[in-house]
Amino acid sequence: MIKFQEIKKSFLVSLWFMFLTFPIMVIRVNPIEKIVEWRWKNMIIVGIGSFLLSFVWRYMLKKREAGEKRAETWESGKTSFMQRILEERRFYIPLVTGLTIIAVAFPFIFSMYQTSIMTTALMYIVLGLGLNIVVGLAGLLDLGYVAFYAVGAYSYALLNHHFGLGFWSALPIGAVLGFIFGILLGFPVLRLRGDYLAIVTLGFGEIIRLVLKNWNEFSFGPSGIANIDRPGFFGIQFSLQAATIYLYFLMIGLVIFTIIVVNRLQNSRIGRAWIALREDETACQAMGIDKTRTKLRAFALGATWAGMVGVIFAAKTTFINPASFTFLESAMILSIVVLGGMGSISGVIIGALILILLPEYLRAFSDYRVLIFGAIMVIMMVFRPQGIISNIRRTYKFNE
Amino acid sequence: MEYFLELVLGGLTRGSIYALIALGYTMVYGIIELINFAHGEIYMIGAFTALIFTSVLTLLGFNEIAVIVLASLLAVIYSSAYGYTVEKIVYKPLRHAPRLSPLISAIGMSIFLQNYVLLAQTSDFLPFPNLIPEFEFIKPYRYIISSPEIVILITTSTVMILLTFLIKFTRIGKAMRATAQDMNMAMLVGVNVNRVISITFVIGSALAALGGVLIASHVGQINFYIGFIAGIKAFTAAVLGGIGSIPGAVLGALILGLTESFATGYVSSDYEDVFAFGLLVLILIFRPAGILGRVTTKKV
Amino acid sequence: MLRLRNINSFYGNIQVLKNVNIEISKGEIITLIGANGAGKTTTLMTISGLVPPRSGEITFMGKTIHNMSPDRIVSLGISQVPEGRRIFPYLTVLENLDMGAFLRSDKKNIKKDMEYIFDLFPILDQRRNQSGGTLSGGEQQMLAISRAIMARPTLLLLDEPSLGLAPLILRQLFETIKKITIENRITVFLVEQNANLALKAAHRGYVMENGCITLSDSAENLLSNENVRKAYLGL
Amino acid sequence: MNTILEVKNLTMDFGGLRALDHLDLNVVEGEITAIIGPNGAGKTTFFNCITGIYNPNEGEILSSPPGKKRKKINGLKPNHVTKKGIARTFQNIRLFSNMTVLENVMIGRHCRTSSGIIGAILRGRSTIKEEKDVVDFSYNILKKTGISHLVNEFAKNLPYGAQRRLEIARAIATEPFLLLLDEPAAGMNPRETRELDELITRLRDEDNISILMIEHDMKLVMSLSDRIFVVDYGRKIAQGTPCDIINNPIVIKAYLGEDFDA
């Protein structure tokens, strides 16, 4: 039974939002032709929508509160359904085999267009996993991640343009440059507190983009660089179709490589130090961990992966310009990590697939894509900060 | 010399608008120690609301002065309402969460609001009517200063004085200062801290809206993205002056305004934003406490 | 007047108060003594609503207060002088006192109360426009107590007023506290580590160990009780 | 009798407040030294100065690990102090709450191991061996501290007493010659305190770790310590064996307030 009180509350919320959205949602003006358009329909939609949503919101808040209480009093021995699937070999092995078959067959079953989209999704998986090292494991909120992506992309584009350097030589160079930029940018700023770090990295990201946009002699300005070579294979150049498939498999390879690396790092001395640093810096230092050095490693490593994917991005689109490297791109990668679950590999993969593929297939959605990214960040933080799949800690067995 | 004067006045104008927005950051930070990432968007919504109501009211046949006053008033009311709502959705449920959480959710809110305006309105730049009439007495000096600049300078300084008065002498002002210094103790003397936080968001948003109206009519065009850049610049100003300090925010904003004015005037206008971002990065690295900020020893 | 019944309070996962029962009648000075970390401060924070209890019941003058917000509880007449004084460091002495009277609107009486306080502590009068952070420890403690008095409480919660004060100042301070509370008919709940001082000032006392009340008796009896001494020095 | 830690003339100011006032203190190898004193006397500040969290305004802190040269350690960063063999616990428990018990202890091994990013990615033989050693070493410490049955629990889900033990376990994983304990018995019940007493004695006798602790539980202090320093208002007001301290009227006054016996 929904109480009268609840209905009244929701009604008030609904009234409030109708008032709040009135100028932006209902009125649209065209100052040049002096036309005003009234869209009263929107007000009704907002009214009904917020009325219903306020019930959901309150219900979820209540559930969250109850959950907090329970976690405090009970031993939290329970793991979620998703975690159990991922932990138990019985489920795990068929799942991996199935995924492998689908991944291999994909480009031969679906069209080039689909394959190309999937490749993009795979790129975001790698970007997400890279950012996950920085944000998820080390707890450093990096809002300028896209800067390193740009470094990778431009280094291939410029090397290719000026010196005709091939994809495979540029890939390690992009990675190294990403790493170097990570160190250079990270060194001065990693002493800063969380929110300052976020803003400074955001500032750095914008500076790099603005420099690329304005420094015509170096980067060809806003018009960007075109006709970048697609990746070849020992000097063989592919047709467009073959190249798409080639790139797809290349990305599959990179995804697997990244998963292995991140997984190994997570369960290593360094990975543990990152997580500990996220939990409590002072205690970490008292344990003999060098704060700055450890953070710098995470930051630079994340940048390395962004640099690598940047090279691939340039090779895939064959055209780049500064407009591809805005703050929104960073925000999108961040929302992948947040949605999937900070620190969780499988979470990030699922997060990337949802956020990149869904808007592609649900065309009606695609306008609302960025809006939804924003909403996801808010909703996840308020109701499920650990993401879809929370990070699982490894357990050890000992025989006495 | 005249060019120099022009740059100084231009810088002060710019700076005083940044100050209006920076105050919101600094006040919110002073109380909940968090950066309100969505603050720039509140300012943008203020500018849009003003634009929308200006057009509507003009069409309805109101005279010029009435349009200016009403549109500004509505912008302030709506921005305050948005600020209030943002706090309730993004910050209040996360009062006891780890710091990263409200940070991310506020970034999310900022992206959401940008796209909300983009989708409900337009992605194009809209021409913003010049609300401020040309004054006669200014005509001889118009190569140095324009009447909008005068209006902006007078409005912002009046607002600053009012705000100082509010913070210094009123009941709510004292409650705000007490909450900023020691939230738990403020509760123990009977301050309703939740209300103080809401009011802080409302006041900050109102100031941002005013800034939005002034700068939009000064620059002459707006779009959904203006909040992002303005937000970062105002934040730079707040940090430059020492975040949490109200006179610091004003000082920082004026310095930033002048820096930008001189940098674009004497160096190059292509890199206008780079100067601001560069300044931000430099302060945070070398003096994160800012000019008037208090350096505190952390307790272990 | 105030009654805590089976109070259980937590900080995060850790239970700090275990089935605490305390009763205070009007006009009494009650003290709660115990070693560091026993849960004394948490008891006060639970009463003031900053650490709401997980279970149990608190009533004040017949009203249930354990689910009220801190500002409501203050408005009912419970003021606290927290541990470490917690003066607003950048507010002046006058403003600090003003904050104490935050919920009152009777300007005339506020003025009168301020004069009363300046009579009691002339040093605060001298420093009225100085910011709170620049006062000495003793002066801060006077200010903290005065600030709490400005709310015209019926129940005053005092948390370790002796902390970091030199013995001479301490003795004067306790004399003044006694004077204020008698003159204004304020009931006092005093939490102290300095057992000797506290028990001498109080009518009754409770002894707390590990979040439990282990003893409660009249102050004289506790003062001569061997167990109290043991609880402190482990002799 | 080798002195392994010498503190001379240590002074620390916060704004106008003097938290430590020309404090002198020595720790002798193989001993359990206790610092007692009323709340707010500056004891934790003292620990923070030794471990590099604060940089003292005046004075010197010299550490001389057994068999090694004497060195000045004030002004070093906290992680370097730990690396030099001085580990600590915190008064308000600071565990890595979302990591398991074993992982918490493994973090303590960080400064005694060396594998880096490349090692972790390649996972060569030496890395695998190091990792295995870390796990075994950490597990043994858990056994020693009596919490090995909780090995895979999240630190945040541990009962209070176990959390205090885990703090100690994590600290001794860094292989210190001197362990600083900040109120190890706070919030423990009598049984847990007794067990703690045994543990601390064992650490000294079996592992040759000298101990400097701040504690309020007098029973524990009196039964454990070889030497006690009494601090009040940031100054040392007395020092000596437990016997000396018990009979020192200054101490009784500082603790219970004036004229307890009156």
PDB file of all heavy atoms in Angstrom, chain C residues 13-14 36 163 165 167 171 194 196 200 210 229 232-233, chain D residues 39 156 160 187-188 216 218 233 256-261:
ATOM      1  N   ASN C  13      31.426   0.044  12.266  1.00  0.00           N
ATOM      2  CA  ASN C  13      31.111  -1.322  12.658  1.00  0.00           C
ATOM      3  C   ASN C  13      31.329  -1.574  14.136  1.00  0.00           C
ATOM      4  O   ASN C  13      31.054  -2.655  14.629  1.00  0.00           O
ATOM      5  CB  ASN C  13      32.037  -2.292  11.922  1.00  0.00           C
ATOM      6  CG  ASN C  13      31.680  -2.395  10.472  1.00  0.00           C
ATOM      7  OD1 ASN C  13      30.712  -1.794  10.033  1.00  0.00           O
ATOM      8  ND2 ASN C  13      32.448  -3.152   9.734  1.00  0.00           N
ATOM      9  N   ILE C  14      31.905  -0.611  14.801  1.00  0.00           N
ATOM     10  CA  ILE C  14      32.360  -0.898  16.150  1.00  0.00           C
ATOM     11  C   ILE C  14      31.358  -0.397  17.177  1.00  0.00           C
ATOM     12  O   ILE C  14      30.957   0.757  17.152  1.00  0.00           O
ATOM     13  CB  ILE C  14      33.744  -0.265  16.377  1.00  0.00           C
ATOM     14  CG1 ILE C  14      34.745  -0.935  15.448  1.00  0.00           C
ATOM     15  CG2 ILE C  14      34.171  -0.377  17.816  1.00  0.00           C
ATOM     16  CD1 ILE C  14      36.000  -0.171  15.230  1.00  0.00           C
ATOM     17  N   ASN C  36      40.276   6.628  29.353  1.00  0.00           N
ATOM     18  CA  ASN C  36      40.235   7.020  27.955  1.00  0.00           C
ATOM     19  C   ASN C  36      39.636   5.906  27.089  1.00  0.00           C
ATOM     20  O   ASN C  36      39.943   4.753  27.291  1.00  0.00           O
ATOM     21  CB  ASN C  36      41.670   7.232  27.502  1.00  0.00           C
ATOM     22  CG  ASN C  36      41.806   8.540  26.805  1.00  0.00           C
ATOM     23  OD1 ASN C  36      40.809   9.180  26.516  1.00  0.00           O
ATOM     24  ND2 ASN C  36      43.021   8.937  26.556  1.00  0.00           N
ATOM     25  N   LEU C 163      40.576  19.210  30.621  1.00  0.00           N
ATOM     26  CA  LEU C 163      41.590  18.842  29.641  1.00  0.00           C
ATOM     27  C   LEU C 163      42.607  19.962  29.399  1.00  0.00           C
ATOM     28  O   LEU C 163      42.262  21.042  28.954  1.00  0.00           O
ATOM     29  CB  LEU C 163      40.917  18.483  28.316  1.00  0.00           C
ATOM     30  CG  LEU C 163      41.819  17.847  27.281  1.00  0.00           C
ATOM     31  CD1 LEU C 163      42.067  16.400  27.608  1.00  0.00           C
ATOM     32  CD2 LEU C 163      41.189  17.955  25.910  1.00  0.00           C
ATOM     33  N   LEU C 165      44.234  21.926  31.322  1.00  0.00           N
ATOM     34  CA  LEU C 165      44.230  23.160  32.107  1.00  0.00           C
ATOM     35  C   LEU C 165      45.118  23.012  33.334  1.00  0.00           C
ATOM     36  O   LEU C 165      45.182  21.953  33.953  1.00  0.00           O
ATOM     37  CB  LEU C 165      42.804  23.493  32.561  1.00  0.00           C
ATOM     38  CG  LEU C 165      41.807  23.855  31.474  1.00  0.00           C
ATOM     39  CD1 LEU C 165      40.514  24.340  32.084  1.00  0.00           C
ATOM     40  CD2 LEU C 165      42.375  24.904  30.539  1.00  0.00           C
ATOM     41  N   PRO C 167      46.263  23.341  37.168  1.00  0.00           N
ATOM     42  CA  PRO C 167      45.437  23.058  38.348  1.00  0.00           C
ATOM     43  C   PRO C 167      44.764  24.289  38.951  1.00  0.00           C
ATOM     44  O   PRO C 167      43.583  24.233  39.310  1.00  0.00           O
ATOM     45  CB  PRO C 167      46.449  22.471  39.332  1.00  0.00           C
ATOM     46  CG  PRO C 167      47.527  21.922  38.495  1.00  0.00           C
ATOM     47  CD  PRO C 167      47.584  22.759  37.269  1.00  0.00           C
ATOM     48  N   ARG C 171      40.691  24.812  39.249  1.00  0.00           N
ATOM     49  CA  ARG C 171      39.907  24.934  40.471  1.00  0.00           C
ATOM     50  C   ARG C 171      38.948  26.118  40.375  1.00  0.00           C
ATOM     51  O   ARG C 171      37.769  26.031  40.708  1.00  0.00           O
ATOM     52  CB  ARG C 171      40.834  25.089  41.672  1.00  0.00           C
ATOM     53  CG  ARG C 171      40.114  24.799  42.962  1.00  0.00           C
ATOM     54  CD  ARG C 171      41.067  24.722  44.116  1.00  0.00           C
ATOM     55  NE  ARG C 171      41.995  23.601  43.976  1.00  0.00           N
ATOM     56  CZ  ARG C 171      42.904  23.307  44.910  1.00  0.00           C
ATOM     57  NH1 ARG C 171      43.004  24.043  46.000  1.00  0.00           N
ATOM     58  NH2 ARG C 171      43.705  22.280  44.757  1.00  0.00           N
ATOM     59  N   ASN C 194      39.453  13.286  35.092  1.00  0.00           N
ATOM     60  CA  ASN C 194      39.964  13.702  36.388  1.00  0.00           C
ATOM     61  C   ASN C 194      38.933  13.332  37.450  1.00  0.00           C
ATOM     62  O   ASN C 194      38.101  14.130  37.854  1.00  0.00           O
ATOM     63  CB  ASN C 194      40.197  15.202  36.349  1.00  0.00           C
ATOM     64  CG  ASN C 194      40.962  15.690  37.537  1.00  0.00           C
ATOM     65  OD1 ASN C 194      40.869  15.109  38.625  1.00  0.00           O
ATOM     66  ND2 ASN C 194      41.717  16.750  37.351  1.00  0.00           N
ATOM     67  N   ASN C 196      38.925  12.613  40.592  1.00  0.00           N
ATOM     68  CA  ASN C 196      38.927  13.251  41.892  1.00  0.00           C
ATOM     69  C   ASN C 196      38.133  14.552  41.869  1.00  0.00           C
ATOM     70  O   ASN C 196      37.205  14.762  42.645  1.00  0.00           O
ATOM     71  CB  ASN C 196      40.383  13.511  42.270  1.00  0.00           C
ATOM     72  CG  ASN C 196      40.532  13.883  43.700  1.00  0.00           C
ATOM     73  OD1 ASN C 196      39.808  13.354  44.543  1.00  0.00           O
ATOM     74  ND2 ASN C 196      41.418  14.796  43.968  1.00  0.00           N
ATOM     75  N   LYS C 200      34.291  15.239  43.451  1.00  0.00           N
ATOM     76  CA  LYS C 200      34.143  16.242  44.503  1.00  0.00           C
ATOM     77  C   LYS C 200      33.062  17.254  44.161  1.00  0.00           C
ATOM     78  O   LYS C 200      32.429  17.810  45.048  1.00  0.00           O
ATOM     79  CB  LYS C 200      35.466  16.956  44.720  1.00  0.00           C
ATOM     80  CG  LYS C 200      36.388  16.136  45.581  1.00  0.00           C
ATOM     81  CD  LYS C 200      37.437  16.998  46.188  1.00  0.00           C
ATOM     82  CE  LYS C 200      38.222  16.192  47.187  1.00  0.00           C
ATOM     83  NZ  LYS C 200      39.600  16.665  47.216  1.00  0.00           N
ATOM     84  N   ASN C 210      34.851   0.211  29.052  1.00  0.00           N
ATOM     85  CA  ASN C 210      34.572  -0.491  27.798  1.00  0.00           C
ATOM     86  C   ASN C 210      33.146  -0.358  27.313  1.00  0.00           C
ATOM     87  O   ASN C 210      32.538  -1.316  26.858  1.00  0.00           O
ATOM     88  CB  ASN C 210      34.879  -1.977  27.942  1.00  0.00           C
ATOM     89  CG  ASN C 210      36.360  -2.220  27.929  1.00  0.00           C
ATOM     90  OD1 ASN C 210      37.060  -1.664  27.084  1.00  0.00           O
ATOM     91  ND2 ASN C 210      36.832  -2.995  28.875  1.00  0.00           N
ATOM     92  N   ARG C 229      39.546   3.619  42.242  1.00  0.00           N
ATOM     93  CA  ARG C 229      40.987   3.843  42.174  1.00  0.00           C
ATOM     94  C   ARG C 229      41.645   2.813  41.273  1.00  0.00           C
ATOM     95  O   ARG C 229      42.507   3.133  40.459  1.00  0.00           O
ATOM     96  CB  ARG C 229      41.565   3.712  43.569  1.00  0.00           C
ATOM     97  CG  ARG C 229      42.193   5.010  44.011  1.00  0.00           C
ATOM     98  CD  ARG C 229      43.008   4.798  45.234  1.00  0.00           C
ATOM     99  NE  ARG C 229      44.303   5.400  44.980  1.00  0.00           N
ATOM    100  CZ  ARG C 229      45.154   5.718  45.933  1.00  0.00           C
ATOM    101  NH1 ARG C 229      44.868   5.453  47.164  1.00  0.00           N
ATOM    102  NH2 ARG C 229      46.295   6.269  45.623  1.00  0.00           N
ATOM    103  N   TYR C 232      41.288   3.231  37.638  1.00  0.00           N
ATOM    104  CA  TYR C 232      42.132   4.274  37.078  1.00  0.00           C
ATOM    105  C   TYR C 232      43.591   3.921  37.005  1.00  0.00           C
ATOM    106  O   TYR C 232      44.242   4.089  35.982  1.00  0.00           O
ATOM    107  CB  TYR C 232      41.966   5.562  37.888  1.00  0.00           C
ATOM    108  CG  TYR C 232      40.867   6.345  37.302  1.00  0.00           C
ATOM    109  CD1 TYR C 232      39.562   6.090  37.637  1.00  0.00           C
ATOM    110  CD2 TYR C 232      41.162   7.273  36.305  1.00  0.00           C
ATOM    111  CE1 TYR C 232      38.556   6.762  37.040  1.00  0.00           C
ATOM    112  CE2 TYR C 232      40.148   7.948  35.699  1.00  0.00           C
ATOM    113  CZ  TYR C 232      38.842   7.700  36.070  1.00  0.00           C
ATOM    114  OH  TYR C 232      37.854   8.359  35.461  1.00  0.00           O
ATOM    115  N   LEU C 233      44.110   3.478  38.112  1.00  0.00           N
ATOM    116  CA  LEU C 233      45.551   3.266  38.150  1.00  0.00           C
ATOM    117  C   LEU C 233      45.935   1.799  37.985  1.00  0.00           C
ATOM    118  O   LEU C 233      47.093   1.489  37.794  1.00  0.00           O
ATOM    119  CB  LEU C 233      46.115   3.801  39.461  1.00  0.00           C
ATOM    120  CG  LEU C 233      46.324   5.305  39.477  1.00  0.00           C
ATOM    121  CD1 LEU C 233      46.743   5.754  40.854  1.00  0.00           C
ATOM    122  CD2 LEU C 233      47.370   5.718  38.454  1.00  0.00           C
TER     123      LEU C 233
ATOM    124  N   ASN D  39      45.152  12.801  28.949  1.00  0.00           N
ATOM    125  CA  ASN D  39      44.700  13.166  27.611  1.00  0.00           C
ATOM    126  C   ASN D  39      45.269  14.511  27.192  1.00  0.00           C
ATOM    127  O   ASN D  39      45.307  15.427  27.981  1.00  0.00           O
ATOM    128  CB  ASN D  39      43.178  13.328  27.671  1.00  0.00           C
ATOM    129  CG  ASN D  39      42.510  12.397  26.716  1.00  0.00           C
ATOM    130  OD1 ASN D  39      43.171  11.836  25.861  1.00  0.00           O
ATOM    131  ND2 ASN D  39      41.232  12.235  26.851  1.00  0.00           N
ATOM    132  N   LYS D 156      37.454  -4.573   7.611  1.00  0.00           N
ATOM    133  CA  LYS D 156      36.405  -3.763   8.228  1.00  0.00           C
ATOM    134  C   LYS D 156      35.402  -4.623   8.990  1.00  0.00           C
ATOM    135  O   LYS D 156      34.669  -4.120   9.828  1.00  0.00           O
ATOM    136  CB  LYS D 156      35.681  -2.937   7.165  1.00  0.00           C
ATOM    137  CG  LYS D 156      34.951  -3.770   6.141  1.00  0.00           C
ATOM    138  CD  LYS D 156      34.206  -2.894   5.159  1.00  0.00           C
ATOM    139  CE  LYS D 156      33.641  -3.761   4.060  1.00  0.00           C
ATOM    140  NZ  LYS D 156      33.158  -2.981   2.936  1.00  0.00           N
ATOM    141  N   TYR D 160      36.616  -5.454  17.184  1.00  0.00           N
ATOM    142  CA  TYR D 160      37.543  -4.417  17.585  1.00  0.00           C
ATOM    143  C   TYR D 160      38.912  -4.955  18.013  1.00  0.00           C
ATOM    144  O   TYR D 160      39.953  -4.503  17.538  1.00  0.00           O
ATOM    145  CB  TYR D 160      36.904  -3.638  18.740  1.00  0.00           C
ATOM    146  CG  TYR D 160      37.481  -2.285  18.962  1.00  0.00           C
ATOM    147  CD1 TYR D 160      37.322  -1.288  18.006  1.00  0.00           C
ATOM    148  CD2 TYR D 160      38.173  -1.988  20.122  1.00  0.00           C
ATOM    149  CE1 TYR D 160      37.833  -0.031  18.204  1.00  0.00           C
ATOM    150  CE2 TYR D 160      38.691  -0.730  20.334  1.00  0.00           C
ATOM    151  CZ  TYR D 160      38.515   0.248  19.373  1.00  0.00           C
ATOM    152  OH  TYR D 160      39.032   1.485  19.587  1.00  0.00           O
ATOM    153  N   GLY D 187      39.770   0.210  24.211  1.00  0.00           N
ATOM    154  CA  GLY D 187      38.552  -0.428  23.742  1.00  0.00           C
ATOM    155  C   GLY D 187      38.546  -1.941  23.853  1.00  0.00           C
ATOM    156  O   GLY D 187      37.612  -2.604  23.398  1.00  0.00           O
ATOM    157  N   MET D 188      39.595  -2.512  24.434  1.00  0.00           N
ATOM    158  CA  MET D 188      39.614  -3.979  24.569  1.00  0.00           C
ATOM    159  C   MET D 188      38.994  -4.373  25.902  1.00  0.00           C
ATOM    160  O   MET D 188      39.086  -3.637  26.889  1.00  0.00           O
ATOM    161  CB  MET D 188      41.054  -4.479  24.527  1.00  0.00           C
ATOM    162  CG  MET D 188      41.663  -4.501  23.145  1.00  0.00           C
ATOM    163  SD  MET D 188      43.248  -5.330  23.189  1.00  0.00           S
ATOM    164  CE  MET D 188      43.566  -5.561  21.452  1.00  0.00           C
ATOM    165  N   HIS D 216      46.863   3.798  28.262  1.00  0.00           N
ATOM    166  CA  HIS D 216      46.147   4.341  29.410  1.00  0.00           C
ATOM    167  C   HIS D 216      45.791   3.265  30.421  1.00  0.00           C
ATOM    168  O   HIS D 216      45.481   3.564  31.563  1.00  0.00           O
ATOM    169  CB  HIS D 216      44.877   5.059  28.956  1.00  0.00           C
ATOM    170  CG  HIS D 216      45.152   6.412  28.415  1.00  0.00           C
ATOM    171  ND1 HIS D 216      45.434   7.480  29.221  1.00  0.00           N
ATOM    172  CD2 HIS D 216      45.237   6.874  27.147  1.00  0.00           C
ATOM    173  CE1 HIS D 216      45.657   8.540  28.482  1.00  0.00           C
ATOM    174  NE2 HIS D 216      45.549   8.200  27.213  1.00  0.00           N
ATOM    175  N   MET D 218      46.500   1.231  33.008  1.00  0.00           N
ATOM    176  CA  MET D 218      47.633   1.226  33.931  1.00  0.00           C
ATOM    177  C   MET D 218      48.070  -0.176  34.311  1.00  0.00           C
ATOM    178  O   MET D 218      49.253  -0.439  34.509  1.00  0.00           O
ATOM    179  CB  MET D 218      47.265   1.987  35.204  1.00  0.00           C
ATOM    180  CG  MET D 218      47.295   3.447  34.984  1.00  0.00           C
ATOM    181  SD  MET D 218      48.931   3.900  34.436  1.00  0.00           S
ATOM    182  CE  MET D 218      48.743   5.626  34.372  1.00  0.00           C
ATOM    183  N   TYR D 233      51.483  18.205  29.648  1.00  0.00           N
ATOM    184  CA  TYR D 233      51.694  19.480  28.950  1.00  0.00           C
ATOM    185  C   TYR D 233      52.916  19.438  28.047  1.00  0.00           C
ATOM    186  O   TYR D 233      53.695  20.392  27.996  1.00  0.00           O
ATOM    187  CB  TYR D 233      51.854  20.630  29.949  1.00  0.00           C
ATOM    188  CG  TYR D 233      50.687  20.753  30.875  1.00  0.00           C
ATOM    189  CD1 TYR D 233      50.790  20.400  32.202  1.00  0.00           C
ATOM    190  CD2 TYR D 233      49.454  21.188  30.387  1.00  0.00           C
ATOM    191  CE1 TYR D 233      49.710  20.493  33.051  1.00  0.00           C
ATOM    192  CE2 TYR D 233      48.367  21.284  31.222  1.00  0.00           C
ATOM    193  CZ  TYR D 233      48.500  20.933  32.560  1.00  0.00           C
ATOM    194  OH  TYR D 233      47.431  21.022  33.377  1.00  0.00           O
ATOM    195  N   LEU D 256      45.067  11.677  38.482  1.00  0.00           N
ATOM    196  CA  LEU D 256      43.758  11.660  39.127  1.00  0.00           C
ATOM    197  C   LEU D 256      43.301  13.046  39.495  1.00  0.00           C
ATOM    198  O   LEU D 256      42.225  13.246  40.023  1.00  0.00           O
ATOM    199  CB  LEU D 256      43.834  10.805  40.394  1.00  0.00           C
ATOM    200  CG  LEU D 256      43.980   9.329  40.113  1.00  0.00           C
ATOM    201  CD1 LEU D 256      44.227   8.578  41.406  1.00  0.00           C
ATOM    202  CD2 LEU D 256      42.718   8.795  39.449  1.00  0.00           C
ATOM    203  N   GLY D 257      44.132  14.002  39.220  1.00  0.00           N
ATOM    204  CA  GLY D 257      43.801  15.334  39.679  1.00  0.00           C
ATOM    205  C   GLY D 257      44.412  15.490  41.045  1.00  0.00           C
ATOM    206  O   GLY D 257      44.972  14.554  41.598  1.00  0.00           O
ATOM    207  N   GLU D 258      44.291  16.686  41.558  1.00  0.00           N
ATOM    208  CA  GLU D 258      44.972  16.975  42.806  1.00  0.00           C
ATOM    209  C   GLU D 258      44.386  16.218  43.982  1.00  0.00           C
ATOM    210  O   GLU D 258      43.241  15.795  43.965  1.00  0.00           O
ATOM    211  CB  GLU D 258      44.895  18.466  43.079  1.00  0.00           C
ATOM    212  CG  GLU D 258      46.014  19.213  42.402  1.00  0.00           C
ATOM    213  CD  GLU D 258      45.952  20.655  42.788  1.00  0.00           C
ATOM    214  OE1 GLU D 258      45.135  21.362  42.182  1.00  0.00           O
ATOM    215  OE2 GLU D 258      46.678  21.028  43.703  1.00  0.00           O
ATOM    216  N   ASP D 259      45.156  16.145  44.993  1.00  0.00           N
ATOM    217  CA  ASP D 259      44.833  15.568  46.298  1.00  0.00           C
ATOM    218  C   ASP D 259      43.746  14.500  46.257  1.00  0.00           C
ATOM    219  O   ASP D 259      42.677  14.672  46.813  1.00  0.00           O
ATOM    220  CB  ASP D 259      44.503  16.646  47.331  1.00  0.00           C
ATOM    221  CG  ASP D 259      43.599  17.742  46.786  1.00  0.00           C
ATOM    222  OD1 ASP D 259      42.585  17.417  46.151  1.00  0.00           O
ATOM    223  OD2 ASP D 259      43.936  18.897  46.987  1.00  0.00           O
ATOM    224  N   PHE D 260      44.076  13.430  45.612  1.00  0.00           N
ATOM    225  CA  PHE D 260      43.128  12.321  45.557  1.00  0.00           C
ATOM    226  C   PHE D 260      42.904  11.745  46.947  1.00  0.00           C
ATOM    227  O   PHE D 260      41.820  11.315  47.289  1.00  0.00           O
ATOM    228  CB  PHE D 260      43.662  11.245  44.620  1.00  0.00           C
ATOM    229  CG  PHE D 260      42.706  10.124  44.410  1.00  0.00           C
ATOM    230  CD1 PHE D 260      41.640  10.290  43.535  1.00  0.00           C
ATOM    231  CD2 PHE D 260      42.817   8.929  45.083  1.00  0.00           C
ATOM    232  CE1 PHE D 260      40.738   9.277  43.331  1.00  0.00           C
ATOM    233  CE2 PHE D 260      41.913   7.917  44.889  1.00  0.00           C
ATOM    234  CZ  PHE D 260      40.878   8.070  44.006  1.00  0.00           C
ATOM    235  N   ASP D 261      43.942  11.794  47.728  1.00  0.00           N
ATOM    236  CA  ASP D 261      43.859  11.131  49.020  1.00  0.00           C
ATOM    237  C   ASP D 261      43.252  12.023  50.094  1.00  0.00           C
ATOM    238  O   ASP D 261      43.024  11.576  51.207  1.00  0.00           O
ATOM    239  CB  ASP D 261      45.245  10.661  49.455  1.00  0.00           C
ATOM    240  CG  ASP D 261      45.738   9.552  48.561  1.00  0.00           C
ATOM    241  OD1 ASP D 261      44.984   8.577  48.366  1.00  0.00           O
ATOM    242  OD2 ASP D 261      46.850   9.679  48.013  1.00  0.00           O
TER     243      ASP D 261
END
